[in-house]
Amino acid sequence: MVSFKPLDPEFPIERQLNIDAGPVVLVNLFTVDPIDQVALVEAWKCDAQWMKKQPGYISTQLHKAVGDGSMYLNYAVWESVADFHAAFSNPEFQQQLSHYPSSAVTAPHLFEKVAVPNCCTA
């Protein structure tokens, strides 16, 4: 089963789940033992396929660190924190977490776009 650790210990995902905001981006950093990389990707694939069917889901993409490392980054876009919270806390999804290798550690965090003049829009 995957272990959770906060990406930001001052404001962990549990505190973010009750904020009214949207759209939001979930950034989820995974680390895993090198021998468990295939199992991690398979477990993530099952999760992603389930999440794609949930209300408010927009998109997701898994990235692997360049080189020989065994770090992965998941980037998922949701219409709102409430939609993500409903999917994330769903008992069916929570049961799926047992499919991850025991060496897997995940650090999820939610973000909102920031408008920066001449660079990016809100």
Side-chain angles (χ1 to χ4, degrees), residues 72-116:
Y72 292 79
L73 180 132
N74 173 45
Y75 178 96
V77 183
W78 288 85
E79 288 182 16
S80 69
V81 172
D83 288 327
F84 171 74
H85 187 190
F88 182 74
S89 63
N90 184 298
E92 186 178 344
F93 174 74
Q94 289 294 314
Q95 286 179 337
Q96 287 182 198
L97 296 177
S98 65
H99 298 299
Y100 280 86
S102 61
S103 69
V105 178
T106 184
H109 205 79
L110 295 169
F111 293 86
E112 293 180 281
K113 280 184 172 183
V114 176
V116 179

Side-chain angles (χ1 to χ4, degrees), residues 7 10 12 16 23 41-42 48 50 57 59 65 69 77 88 96 103 106 113:
L7 190 58
E10 299 296 319
Q16 292 183 297
V41 172
E42 284 302 312
W50 187 88
Y57 167 88
S59 66
V77 183
F88 182 74
Q96 287 182 198
S103 69
T106 184
K113 280 184 172 183

Side-chain angles (χ1 to χ4, degrees), residues 3-48:
S3 299
F4 285 81
K5 80 173 199 180
L7 190 58
D8 178 357
E10 299 296 319
F11 207 79
I13 189 80
E14 295 83 9
R15 289 186 58 199
Q16 292 183 297
L17 293 177
N18 296 313
I19 294 174
D20 182 18
V24 293
V25 173
L26 168 71
V27 172
N28 197 0
L29 187 64
F30 290 94
T31 55
V32 66
D33 286 344
I35 62 170
D36 290 332
Q37 290 184 72
V38 171
L40 174 84
V41 172
E42 284 302 312
W44 180 88
K45 178 182 173 184
C46 289
D47 283 355

